[in-house]
Amino acid sequence: MDGDYVIGGVFSIHNYMHTVKHNYTTMPEPLRCTGRIDSRELRFSRAMVFAIEEINKSSKLLPSIRLGYQIHDSCASVPMTVRVAFQLSNGLDPVFYTGDHCTRSGIMMAIIGESGSTPSISMSRVIGSFNIPQVSHYATCACLSNKEQYPSFFRTIPSDQFQADALAKLVKHFGWTWIGAVRSDSDYGNNGMASFLDAAQKEGICVEYSESFYRTHPRSKIQRVADVIRRSTAMVVVAFAASGDMKILLEELSREPSPPRQWIGTESWVTDPDLLRFTFCAGAIGFGIQQSVIPGLRDFLLDLPNTKVAASPVLTEFWEDAFNCRLGKTTEESVCDGTEDIQTLKSPYTDTSQLRITNMVYKAVYAIAHAIHNAACQKTNSTTQCDKHTRIESKQVFTELKKVNFSQNGYDVSFDANGDPVATYELVNWQKSKSGSIEFVTVGHYDASLPVGQEFRINRNLTWVEGSTQVPVSVCTDSCPPGTRKVLQRGKPICCYDCIPCPEGEISNATGSTECTKCPEFYWSDKDKVKCIAGVEEFLSFFDTMGIILVILTLLGVVLTTIITTVFHRFRFTPIVKANNSEISFLLLLSLKLCFLCSLVFIGRPSAWTCRLRQAAFGISFVLCLSCLLVKTIVVLLAFQSNVPGSRALKLFGPSQQRTLILCTTAPQVCLCAGWLLGAPPFPFRNPTYQATTGKIVVECKEPWPPGFYLVLGYIGLLAFLCLLLAFLGRKLPDTFNEAKLITFSMLIFWAVWISFIPAHVSSPGKFTVAVEIFAILASSFGLLLCIFVPKCYIILLRPERNIKKGMTGKYPR
């Protein structure tokens, strides 16, 4: 239709282009479209005509100016689209006008189209050089937002970048981490899927497979893609495909029974009524362009008298295909007799219940009209004057198109710096109606202009695959339960993993944890590894088996010492008791009893007083014991020296000197212990060192100044060495009952025990450290008691005939 300013329209009214094998001997046939008419695309083109006629009737927009249009069929093919683009760019008038007041009908002001991204790209590369603005209603490829490559491209439909992000958030929202992906092998599918996969990776979603196909591919290629879907383990399939491509794939899948799959679709096919016949896709969800209402459009679409149909080859083909008849043709097929009623026709052309993309065409026409209005009209006072003879170029329309911002039928229209509108989508669900047919149901919305985290919302219940009301599960591995963590499986995506229990002392209290959290100090994991509990304190208790054994041994030593003391006291006037200063013997027995008793201080939960008492009691009692042994050893040596004529050694080392020596050798240890306890006393300490391996907290006595303990042991060792040395010197004295030999044996036992004690003490963990020290005390005490006093008790009780003065010199009566 002619007009003062002309707008071009390019739609994929047919889906295929006739292909010709060139023989290079004859001129090729002109390009032409074949196949059935896409009635949905026909509706898009008719909506453009409706919008232009509505504008021409308006008194506010472009008053006194008439818009014209020229609509072409691109067959959804690049060659045809390029041809149409050149045709529209080269001008429309067959005659060159030279008059000064000619209309500008020969110049294309703007072009609406194309329906696909790939044809739109090819068109934009042609008309962009001429600064002719292109406004697409259905090309969503994010690549078209690149203004360096496509400077004159605009669109009223959101970019796929927004849809890709929305799809990734949708998949994540329902907990699907293992999905399949199919796409059209075109700019729309490849670029859209690339954006989706990038967004999905950020959301932690794994893709089992990603297959591409195109409707013109051989059936074997389509069949291979269908087989991949059938064999996959992913329950969810995301399809970033054009409607025509998706139709071919679903037809292939319907040939053989396929496992149920939850389909996630893009706006290109998930709102296409023609695909609702594939009932196995019931439950599909996806994003669609917002529904809209265009008053008067349905009446316009249905206003197709025979004269109008006959005047248009496209409408004629549509009519004949819709009613299966032929207009004005006498053939074997039925002839259209005028009784056909388009009001009763069930077709995407007549279905205006869910106008989505149609509204994008409607908005595109109005956007161009507003741009022409701003370029050709001037507002004076309260009136707007438009001169149809004003010479405007397409470049001016392009400039004004960037600035348009208006509202039509309640829908805002504007473009950002990339020529894109604000991204808003409806979440569409394929649900079965009461009649059994599948219908589109809007269950939520997505608005990219809202703050992060608030863009996506669902406000109605969804129906899933096979009519289920439960969200299907699609994961490579079930989420790891609390108490475990994920470990990736070698060679597989991050969504495929094994669940291993957390190590001791670590927990995970959430499902799907990737790391286990270490418990705080003095806390330990429970048996399920889901919470930290207070660590079990460990110390050598009186109720432990080991503690009971050591207490029994201690009491046995005390009882044995008491019995020996009683025996010695009962026979204190006999020669064997009197032979070596009975007072020293009783003091030695007392010190041994203290040695036995001090081991009890090591058992039980350490406290401030037990930590201070245990080492002091041990150090002083042992030094007292060794001091008595040292005196006894010296007395033995001096006693035999007194048999030498003129020797007065024993007289010089009498009882008072012996007491003094004991006091002098014990006093340093008492002073050392007092200074140590006053300066840096041991204190109870909860040691978490062993918690990492045993989960128990060892309560022990901390030595803030370890040299104090080593000095105490060192002094004990010094006295023990002197005793051993002196006893060793008197081991061969000529007597039947040589006490020096007994002291030598006892000191050898003492040294064997304490030399073994050092490495055992260092290497023993936890409460066993204390047990080793108690064992050393008991073993050395028993060694002294048994070696020194038991032989004497044997003579006193069982061989009293030897308990005589002559027996001490080895002269027993016959």
Side-chain angles (χ1 to χ4, degrees), residues 63-84:
S64 69
I65 289 182
R66 179 178 179 80
L67 292 179
Y69 60 86
Q70 192 172 110
I71 298 176
H72 293 264
D73 184 4
S74 69
C75 319
S77 68
V78 172
M80 182 64 82
T81 303
V82 172
R83 177 189 176 188
V84 170

Side-chain angles (χ1 to χ4, degrees), residues 548-712:
I548 293 172
I549 293 173
L550 293 175
V551 169
I552 292 174
L553 291 176
T554 299
L555 296 179
L556 179 62
V558 172
V559 171
L560 187 58
T561 305
T562 304
I563 293 173
I564 294 174
T565 304
T566 303
V567 171
F568 267 53
H569 185 266
R570 171 69 177 80
F571 297 96
R572 62 186 178 279
F573 299 112
T574 61
I576 199 169
V577 177
K578 295 173 60 178
N580 194 358
N581 194 340
S582 59
E583 183 181 346
I584 301 299
S585 296
F586 285 115
L587 184 59
L588 178 57
L589 287 169
L590 176 62
S591 62
L592 283 173
K593 185 179 291 187
L594 293 175
C595 288
F596 282 117
L597 291 173
C598 76
S599 62
L600 296 176
V601 187
F602 287 84
I603 303 175
R605 192 183 193 282
S607 62
W609 72 268
T610 56
C611 285
R612 297 186 181 191
L613 179 61
R614 61 171 57 172
Q615 300 298 358
F618 156 69
I620 294 173
S621 60
F622 253 90
V623 165
L624 180 60
C625 180
L626 292 174
S627 297
C628 294
L629 283 179
L630 181 61
V631 170
K632 288 176 71 68
T633 305
I634 295 174
V635 169
V636 171
L637 291 176
L638 293 180
F640 282 95
Q641 287 294 328
S642 64
N643 294 328
V644 179
S647 175
R648 300 179 58 194
L650 188 59
K651 295 180 179 180
L652 295 176
F653 193 67
S656 60
Q657 288 80 11
Q658 294 173 19
R659 298 189 196 99
T660 303
L661 181 59
I662 292 174
L663 181 61
C664 291
T665 52
T666 306
Q669 184 77 318
V670 174
C671 295
L672 180 61
C673 290
W676 177 29
L677 296 180
L678 292 174
F683 58 89
F685 172 67
R686 302 176 75 196
N687 189 349
T689 304
Y690 305 103
Q691 186 176 355
T693 54
T694 64
K696 297 179 179 178
I697 302 168
V698 177
V699 183
E700 61 185 12
C701 290
K702 179 77 170 178
E703 308 285 355
W705 191 56
F709 178 66
Y710 300 140
L711 288 175
V712 169

Side-chain angles (χ1 to χ4, degrees), residues 109-111 132-135 152-155 363-372 374 394-406 413-416 419:
M109 292 293 99
I111 299 175
I132 299 176
Q134 172 188 359
V135 184
S152 64
F153 181 82
F154 299 83
R155 54 185 158 196
K363 289 164 67 174
V365 175
Y366 267 89
I368 295 172
H370 275 272
I372 296 175
N374 294 337
S394 59
K395 185 177 182 179
Q396 294 175 261
V397 179
F398 168 59
T399 302
E400 293 297 332
L401 200 56
K402 298 177 183 179
K403 308 174 188 176
V404 296
N405 190 347
F406 63 94
V413 181
S414 62
F415 303 103
D416 61 15

